[in-house]
Amino acid sequence: MLETIDLRKVYPTGDEALTGVSTTVDGNEIVAMIGPSGAGKSTFIRCINRLTEPTDGEIRLDGSELTALGESEMKAARRNIGMVFQEYNLVERLTVMENVLSGRLGYVSNWAALRRKFPPEDVERAYDVLETVGLDGMENKRADELSGGQRQRVGIARAVVQEPKILLADEPTSSLDPESSHAVMELLADIAAEEDIPIIINIHEVPLAVEYADRILGLHDGELVFDGPTDGLDENAKDVIYRGADASETTNEAVAKTRTDNNAISEQAADKPTAAGD
Amino acid sequence: MATEDGAAEIPYDGSRWQRPTAFRNRKVKWAAYIGAALFVLWSIVSLLSGVTISRVVYGLGNGFLLVESMFPPETSTVNLERVGVYMAETIAMAFVATFTGVLISLPIAVGAAENLAPWPLYYLNRGIISITRAIDELIIAIIAVKAVGVGPLAGIIAISYLTIGFFSKLFAEDIEDIDMGAKEAVEATGASRFQTFVYAVIPQVAPRFVGLTVYRWDINIRASTIIGIVGAGGIGTLLMRSFNRYEYDFAGTILIAIIVVVLAGELFSAYVRRRVQ
């Protein structure tokens, strides 16, 4: 179970990316986090495994408080958190198998890492996971020979081979075409069920989120403005997530303001698929 | 509103647009251009003011005589053997110096990569590189000869030293160009710093490492042919001696040998670099 309590992040520039986010993710639910660009979605996900250091608040994974851990303890804790990235972030010159096995690095010695020598059960698990993600037979291809969709599958395999307690996915579909996007979302949903772990997915495309997620988290300006089952995401909730709380006011002034905001947002939305994340 | 109206009154005039200049304004730009031209003119006048046409003709005549006396090159067995021995020493010097130079460069390059090193270490290593690069090879060779005496050891020290400045700087820049996303992803799995380095950094820079090493080796062969002139071993020693004794035909032989070896090294280096990149 992942629990965040009043999670806050202020960047050195003074930007408050998260204003105190509290939520709980449990079981094998698929949680989609939506919100406009710059709302803090990436920051939230990256704070969980402390690739970005949170300013304030607590993060607990199965009871242990991640925010209190020292550097080496945090390294050990990261083994329990799988992460999938927008740009796949594979080591392009290494083979698919080496990339997948890098998910086991936290369990082997430095010397073994140098010689690429992993225990046989790790290699077996890597083969299994490659089959799960549909890349069986590709283990000796170099990562840079693969297509975008295939690379993201390697990225997912690397996270799954960790046998994590939770999976984080930061815009896993933003660099992919619609068809591959659906395939990747389906794969993530299968993995949540099969591995019995929760998944938090940052995502720009609301329809994809609605189609695959059990629950939606809506961020606006670093504030958690929506947290509920996917069915509860009506037009009003989307307004609040994408336009801010005052969009629901109905005075003439507010409507006029919403209109101008609206334009700004649809422009932003048009930019989103090409933007390199938040 | 008032400002908007005011702005609207200024007509868009097609002749008003000028390409922005890198200088502060156009006057500064032209002043800089004219200043540069005057400086070049002054250099030419002051350096060549004493040179007359007859002096140039006389000098050219002497030049032809010198080149003429190198042909045909000396080909006696004794002298060819000497060229062979000294050339072998030259190539050996280049090999050893490349090896030691690259070995010393590695930690400096990693320390001078902004994306991996903490800033005190970064500035320290950048400083080392700048200082190493500031002094020319012949000066280092002269100092090395004074320090350890005439012979190839001085040459190896001088060329290793030069390799450090060159290799660390270029390799540090290659390390800075790596995809940090891959490094971050490996870190996110719980890998240690060392594991991240061998798994995410080394594979990305390995081909550049091989390419740069071979490239520097080829430069080092060239460098080790010249530093013998100040007594630091290699074929340059022989070349200097032949000039001092006015054995220009033997100097011709040595020059041809140098050209052949340097060209061969360059071809090999180009081939290897094409293969790895």
Side-chain angles (χ1 to χ4, degrees):
Chain A
M1 185 178 82
L2 178 85
E3 198 181 359
T4 70
I5 304 163
D6 263 332
L7 191 63
R8 215 164 74 86
K9 172 67 187 179
V10 183
Y11 283 105
T13 51
D15 292 330
E16 193 169 8
L18 297 174
T19 58
V21 175
S22 303
T23 191
T24 306
V25 177
D26 201 4
N28 58 8
E29 61 180 342
I30 298 163
V31 180
M33 184 171 247
I34 60 173
S37 291
K41 303 191 298 292
S42 279
T43 304
F44 178 77
I45 280 221
R46 293 169 58 87
C47 276
I48 292 172
N49 60 2
R50 285 172 64 191
L51 286 179
T52 297
E53 203 58 46
T55 311
D56 228 334
E58 284 176 28
I59 302 162
R60 290 165 200 257
L61 183 62
D62 286 352
S64 87
E65 194 186 328
L66 299 182
T67 28
L69 299 181
E71 199 184 332
S72 59
E73 294 166 312
M74 188 59 214
K75 279 199 175 115
R78 275 181 181 164
R79 301 183 304 192
N80 297 323
I81 308 170
M83 187 153 178
V84 176
F85 298 82
Q86 179 184 349
E87 300 288 344
Y88 332 127
N89 291 7
L90 305 180
V91 184
E92 301 276 311
R93 302 190 60 89
L94 295 184
T95 59
V96 168
M97 183 53 103
E98 282 171 296
N99 270 293
V100 174
L101 282 172
S102 66
R104 300 301 297 174
L105 280 173
Y107 296 94
V108 303
S109 69
N110 288 344
W111 178 232
L114 193 63
R115 292 182 307 148
R116 309 277 192 270
K117 191 81 190 148
F118 289 84
E121 57 270 26
D122 284 2
V123 180
E124 257 161 56
R125 166 127 178 109
Y127 272 115
D128 284 349
V129 174
L130 275 176
E131 207 180 311
T132 309
V133 302
L135 291 177
D136 32 336
M138 304 275 239
E139 65 271 15
N140 288 332
K141 283 213 167 191
R142 252 170 58 162
D144 53 10
E145 292 175 66
L146 305 182
S147 70
Q150 290 173 324
R151 284 185 209 201
Q152 194 56 294
R153 288 158 184 276
V154 177
I156 293 169
R158 172 175 61 193
V160 172
V161 90
Q162 283 176 240
E163 301 183 299
K165 292 177 179 165
I166 186 169
L167 202 59
L168 310 172
D170 191 8
E171 312 267 1
T173 59
S174 294
S175 306
L176 300 175
D177 60 75
E179 203 179 322
S180 309
S181 295
H182 275 280
V184 160
M185 291 299 286
E186 225 157 89
L187 179 59
L188 288 173
D190 288 348
I191 284 165
E194 210 167 292
E195 303 283 321
D196 195 27
I197 51 171
I199 301 188
I200 305 180
I201 307 172
N202 273 349
I203 192 157
H204 272 306
E205 300 101 321
V206 178
L208 270 183
V210 171
E211 191 177 342
Y212 292 98
D214 304 317
R215 184 175 145 207
I216 304 280
L217 296 179
L219 269 188
H220 183 89
D221 263 353
E223 200 185 330
L224 192 61
V225 292
F226 184 87
D227 183 350
T230 310
D231 309 337
L233 188 75
D234 51 16
E235 284 308 312
N236 187 43
K238 281 187 205 165
D239 272 358
V240 173
I241 295 168
Y242 282 96
R243 283 155 215 170
D246 42 308
S248 49
E249 290 172 28
T250 48
T251 61
N252 284 345
E253 219 175 322
V255 170
K257 187 184 181 308
T258 312
R259 261 195 207 123
T260 49
D261 284 357
N262 221 340
N263 291 338
I265 284 157
S266 50
E267 270 169 39
Q268 265 182 27
D271 284 336
K272 267 172 217 163
T274 51
D278 289 349
Chain B
M1 279 299 146
T3 49
E4 246 181 70
D5 290 343
E9 274 165 28
I10 298 172
Y12 289 110
D13 179 357
S15 63
R16 276 165 50 90
W17 185 82
Q18 281 176 340
R19 190 175 170 278
T21 143
F23 299 93
R24 202 158 295 159
N25 60 46
R26 298 175 73 79
K27 279 183 192 142
V28 176
K29 182 172 103 175
W30 283 109
Y33 285 174
I34 292 167
L38 285 176
F39 179 76
V40 171
L41 209 66
W42 171 79
S43 313
I44 294 171
V45 170
S46 64
L47 288 176
L48 300 181
S49 57
V51 181
T52 60
I53 303 263
S54 62
R55 175 73 181 79
V56 171
V57 172
Y58 176 73
L60 276 179
N62 265 354
F64 278 123
L65 274 180
L66 177 66
V67 174
E68 216 179 354
S69 60
M70 287 186 181
F71 283 95
E74 155 89 83
T75 51
S76 72
T77 338
V78 184
N79 277 338
L80 283 184
E81 259 171 25
R82 280 163 72 202
V83 169
V85 168
Y86 275 90
M87 199 47 108
E89 187 179 278
T90 307
I91 296 170
M93 266 165 56
F95 265 109
V96 176
T98 307
F99 180 77
T100 53
V102 167
L103 209 63
I104 299 168
S105 299
L106 278 177
I108 299 177
V110 174
E114 209 173 2
N115 51 350
L116 298 185
W119 69 264
L121 210 60
Y122 169 75
Y123 283 108
L124 174 73
N125 286 294
R126 282 281 157 180
I128 293 174
I129 291 174
S130 301
I131 291 168
T132 346
R133 287 171 65 84
I135 307 173
D136 187 76
E137 60 185 59
L138 279 181
I139 299 177
I140 297 297
I142 290 168
I143 296 170
V145 169
K146 294 282 174 206
V148 301
V150 171
L153 179 61
I156 289 170
I157 291 173
I159 299 172
S160 303
Y161 180 89
L162 293 161
T163 303
I164 295 168
F166 172 94
F167 194 90
S168 313
K169 183 166 195 276
L170 293 184
F171 196 48
E173 275 158 20
D174 286 327
I175 297 175
E176 284 173 355
D177 281 343
I178 65 166
D179 167 23
M180 291 296 278
K183 180 176 170 278
E184 190 172 60
V186 172
E187 262 167 5
T189 66
S192 72
R193 210 174 283 227
F194 176 84
Q195 288 173 332
T196 308
F197 188 75
V198 299
Y199 224 93
V201 179
I202 290 181
Q204 293 195 56
V205 295
R208 284 292 296 163
F209 174 80
V210 175
L212 266 183
T213 305
V214 178
Y215 183 38
R216 186 62 218 189
W217 169 80
D218 140 36
I219 298 176
N220 282 352
I221 286 202
R222 215 167 318 165
S224 57
T225 58
I226 178 78
I227 58 172
I229 287 182
V230 296
I235 193 93
T237 319
L238 210 55
L239 184 66
M240 200 59 195
R241 202 182 297 161
S242 70
F243 272 123
N244 287 340
R245 291 177 184 166
Y246 307 104
E247 296 167 353
Y248 293 130
D249 51 349
F250 187 36
T253 313
I254 296 167
L255 286 176
I256 290 169
I258 289 176
I259 290 168
V260 169
V261 168
V262 169
L263 274 184
E266 221 173 274
L267 283 176
F268 176 73
S269 142
Y271 169 77
V272 172
R273 279 183 289 145
R274 216 176 22 246
R275 283 299 299 272
V276 295
Q277 272 157 29

